[in-house]
Amino acid sequence: MASPATSRSLDSFAQGKLEDLEARSLRRRLIETDRYGPAQARRAGRELISFCCNDYLNLSHREEVKEAARAALERYGAGSGASRLVTGNHPLFRTLEKRLARLKETDDCVIFGSGYLANLGIVPALAREGDLILADELSHACLLSGTKLSGAETRIFRHNDMGHLKALLEEERAKHRHCLILTDGVFSMDGDLAPVEEMGELARAHDAWLMTDDAHGIGVLAGGKGSSFGGGKKADVPLQMGTLSKAIGSYGGYLCASQPVVDFIRTRARTLIYSTGLPPASVAASIAALDLIEADPEFAALPVKKAKAFTRALNLPEAESPIVPILMGDPDKTLAASALLEEEGFLVTAIRPPTVPEGTARLRFTFTAEHDDKDIERLTAIIRDKILINRAAE
């Protein structure tokens, strides 16, 4: 048990940090949110239309998905009971892994407890001291956290700058045993896409291994196949990682790759070995969601279609994904804009540093298949008349 003096010093440390964050409008708080419908949310008794949820196809509320989860709950119980390598590898895992491998056109797939756990396990399993990791500067935090655990030398290349990546490969690749290139497929805060075809060519030319985090691409791009298929066929991406918690509407992470790679990850990724397996209901929900996505590619395309309509109406750069940012710059102004939208009945979260770089605080809009076009039109008018005009005047 900590001594009173230790407890006081710990509390003093935490309180000082909180006060500093509060003064810079960077303190984060958990706000209870009741997502009671596909795009509906309730906060503090107020009914809101959510434009900040990653459930791009609203499948977490689809009856077919919920029914699959209920059936698995009754058959297998609420939890998996252990690590997948002990007794937690219930039969539904293999079904989901085969389905994802088919979708991503790979030999096999391995499921993790979350996308964050996947990247914390995959990257250190593939890269160690003596290896080289090259990562896009806007890669998701879990990719960058994985690099820190790996012990490999890490170099950051400018966002989507293939000239910089090429120069680093030419300068550094020959000095290291192996090289791993990391990038988001769809960048979660900007909504733009990585040039995966060109990256795949560069990786192949320098005997490097390209890994993409397709958390925000699977289910909504290229008929649901994701960012590696934007060119009409699969790009040369040997390591396709992603999550089941966005367009799939459930929970978990995965890696789709060749058979030897998947078998190796199953026996060496610490976040798989030492984590309890996903609950059966989550796995069953993902299988049902994939059924719906594969059966209706036009439905899968709706989030991007609606995002494009929004950007056209506001004369913004055309959306490449369901994610559209509007940069405000200052955290206080971003919070004020978010509060204004909430007063108007819309839930749009203010995104502030360190999630995004200093000076780039923003409103992050996400579009879903079931957003009503009239709601999008009203949101657009409010942004144009009450937010963008004020931003332009400053």
Short mmCIF file of all heavy atoms in Angstrom, two decimals, residues 26 137-138 189-190 327 329-331 351-362:
data_model
loop_
_atom_site.label_atom_id
_atom_site.label_comp_id
_atom_site.label_asym_id
_atom_site.label_seq_id
_atom_site.Cartn_x
_atom_site.Cartn_y
_atom_site.Cartn_z
N LEU A 26 -6.64 21.19 -23.93
CA LEU A 26 -6.25 19.88 -24.44
C LEU A 26 -6.64 18.73 -23.51
O LEU A 26 -6.31 17.57 -23.78
CB LEU A 26 -4.73 19.83 -24.69
CG LEU A 26 -4.19 20.80 -25.75
CD1 LEU A 26 -2.69 20.66 -25.88
CD2 LEU A 26 -4.89 20.57 -27.10
N GLU A 137 4.76 9.73 -41.57
CA GLU A 137 4.69 10.56 -40.37
C GLU A 137 3.28 10.64 -39.78
O GLU A 137 3.12 10.95 -38.59
CB GLU A 137 5.19 11.98 -40.67
CG GLU A 137 4.35 12.75 -41.67
CD GLU A 137 4.91 14.14 -41.93
OE1 GLU A 137 5.59 14.69 -41.05
OE2 GLU A 137 4.66 14.67 -43.04
N LEU A 138 2.25 10.37 -40.57
CA LEU A 138 0.88 10.42 -40.06
C LEU A 138 0.31 9.03 -39.80
O LEU A 138 -0.91 8.88 -39.65
CB LEU A 138 -0.02 11.19 -41.03
CG LEU A 138 0.33 12.67 -41.23
CD1 LEU A 138 -0.73 13.36 -42.09
CD2 LEU A 138 0.48 13.40 -39.90
N MET A 189 -7.30 10.74 -39.58
CA MET A 189 -7.64 12.11 -39.24
C MET A 189 -7.77 13.02 -40.45
O MET A 189 -8.35 14.10 -40.37
CB MET A 189 -6.59 12.70 -38.28
CG MET A 189 -6.59 12.07 -36.91
SD MET A 189 -8.15 12.34 -36.03
CE MET A 189 -8.76 10.67 -35.88
N ASP A 190 -7.22 12.61 -41.58
CA ASP A 190 -7.27 13.43 -42.80
C ASP A 190 -8.16 12.83 -43.88
O ASP A 190 -8.63 13.54 -44.77
CB ASP A 190 -5.87 13.63 -43.36
CG ASP A 190 -5.02 14.49 -42.44
OD1 ASP A 190 -5.03 15.71 -42.61
OD2 ASP A 190 -4.36 13.94 -41.56
N LEU A 327 -10.15 21.91 -40.94
CA LEU A 327 -9.13 22.40 -40.00
C LEU A 327 -9.54 23.76 -39.44
O LEU A 327 -9.91 24.68 -40.19
CB LEU A 327 -7.77 22.50 -40.70
CG LEU A 327 -6.90 21.24 -40.61
CD1 LEU A 327 -7.55 20.07 -41.32
CD2 LEU A 327 -5.52 21.50 -41.18
N GLY A 329 -7.44 24.88 -36.60
CA GLY A 329 -6.15 25.35 -36.12
C GLY A 329 -6.06 25.42 -34.62
O GLY A 329 -5.29 24.70 -33.98
N ASP A 330 -6.86 26.29 -34.02
CA ASP A 330 -6.80 26.55 -32.58
C ASP A 330 -7.75 25.63 -31.82
O ASP A 330 -8.91 25.49 -32.21
CB ASP A 330 -7.17 28.01 -32.32
CG ASP A 330 -7.18 28.34 -30.85
OD1 ASP A 330 -6.08 28.44 -30.26
OD2 ASP A 330 -8.28 28.50 -30.29
N PRO A 331 -7.30 25.00 -30.72
CA PRO A 331 -8.18 24.10 -29.98
C PRO A 331 -9.44 24.78 -29.45
O PRO A 331 -10.53 24.19 -29.49
CB PRO A 331 -7.29 23.60 -28.83
CG PRO A 331 -5.90 23.69 -29.37
CD PRO A 331 -5.91 24.91 -30.23
N ILE A 351 -11.17 17.42 -32.64
CA ILE A 351 -9.94 16.63 -32.57
C ILE A 351 -8.77 17.58 -32.35
O ILE A 351 -8.55 18.50 -33.13
CB ILE A 351 -9.71 15.82 -33.87
CG1 ILE A 351 -10.95 14.97 -34.19
CG2 ILE A 351 -8.46 14.96 -33.74
CD1 ILE A 351 -11.24 13.88 -33.18
N ARG A 352 -8.03 17.35 -31.27
CA ARG A 352 -6.96 18.28 -30.87
C ARG A 352 -5.64 17.54 -30.68
O ARG A 352 -5.62 16.31 -30.57
CB ARG A 352 -7.36 18.96 -29.55
CG ARG A 352 -8.61 19.83 -29.64
CD ARG A 352 -9.21 20.07 -28.26
NE ARG A 352 -9.83 18.86 -27.72
CZ ARG A 352 -10.11 18.67 -26.44
NH1 ARG A 352 -9.80 19.60 -25.55
NH2 ARG A 352 -10.69 17.55 -26.03
N PRO A 353 -4.53 18.28 -30.63
CA PRO A 353 -3.24 17.64 -30.32
C PRO A 353 -3.32 16.93 -28.97
O PRO A 353 -4.07 17.37 -28.09
CB PRO A 353 -2.27 18.82 -30.27
CG PRO A 353 -2.91 19.88 -31.13
CD PRO A 353 -4.38 19.71 -30.89
N PRO A 354 -2.59 15.82 -28.78
CA PRO A 354 -1.58 15.27 -29.68
C PRO A 354 -2.11 14.30 -30.73
O PRO A 354 -1.32 13.70 -31.46
CB PRO A 354 -0.64 14.55 -28.72
CG PRO A 354 -1.55 14.05 -27.65
CD PRO A 354 -2.59 15.13 -27.47
N THR A 355 -3.44 14.13 -30.82
CA THR A 355 -3.99 13.24 -31.84
C THR A 355 -3.62 13.74 -33.23
O THR A 355 -3.38 12.94 -34.15
CB THR A 355 -5.52 13.14 -31.70
OG1 THR A 355 -5.82 12.66 -30.39
CG2 THR A 355 -6.11 12.21 -32.73
N VAL A 356 -3.60 15.04 -33.40
CA VAL A 356 -3.17 15.67 -34.65
C VAL A 356 -2.03 16.64 -34.32
O VAL A 356 -1.88 17.06 -33.17
CB VAL A 356 -4.33 16.40 -35.35
CG1 VAL A 356 -5.37 15.42 -35.83
CG2 VAL A 356 -4.97 17.43 -34.42
N PRO A 357 -1.22 17.04 -35.32
CA PRO A 357 -0.10 17.94 -35.03
C PRO A 357 -0.55 19.29 -34.50
O PRO A 357 -1.67 19.74 -34.74
CB PRO A 357 0.58 18.09 -36.41
CG PRO A 357 0.19 16.86 -37.17
CD PRO A 357 -1.20 16.54 -36.71
N GLU A 358 0.34 19.94 -33.76
CA GLU A 358 0.07 21.28 -33.26
C GLU A 358 -0.35 22.21 -34.39
O GLU A 358 0.20 22.17 -35.49
CB GLU A 358 1.33 21.86 -32.58
CG GLU A 358 1.71 21.18 -31.27
CD GLU A 358 0.77 21.52 -30.13
OE1 GLU A 358 0.04 22.54 -30.23
OE2 GLU A 358 0.76 20.78 -29.13
N GLY A 359 -1.35 23.04 -34.12
CA GLY A 359 -1.81 23.99 -35.11
C GLY A 359 -2.79 23.42 -36.11
O GLY A 359 -3.22 24.14 -37.03
N THR A 360 -3.18 22.13 -35.95
CA THR A 360 -4.10 21.53 -36.92
C THR A 360 -5.34 20.94 -36.24
O THR A 360 -5.95 20.00 -36.77
CB THR A 360 -3.40 20.43 -37.75
OG1 THR A 360 -3.12 19.30 -36.89
CG2 THR A 360 -2.13 20.93 -38.39
N ALA A 361 -5.75 21.50 -35.10
CA ALA A 361 -6.99 21.05 -34.48
C ALA A 361 -8.12 21.16 -35.50
O ALA A 361 -8.15 22.08 -36.32
CB ALA A 361 -7.30 21.90 -33.25
N ARG A 362 -9.05 20.23 -35.43
CA ARG A 362 -10.03 20.15 -36.52
C ARG A 362 -11.35 19.56 -36.07
O ARG A 362 -11.45 18.89 -35.03
CB ARG A 362 -9.47 19.26 -37.63
CG ARG A 362 -9.34 17.80 -37.22
CD ARG A 362 -8.45 17.02 -38.15
NE ARG A 362 -7.08 17.55 -38.15
CZ ARG A 362 -6.13 17.16 -38.99
NH1 ARG A 362 -6.41 16.27 -39.90
NH2 ARG A 362 -4.93 17.67 -38.91
#
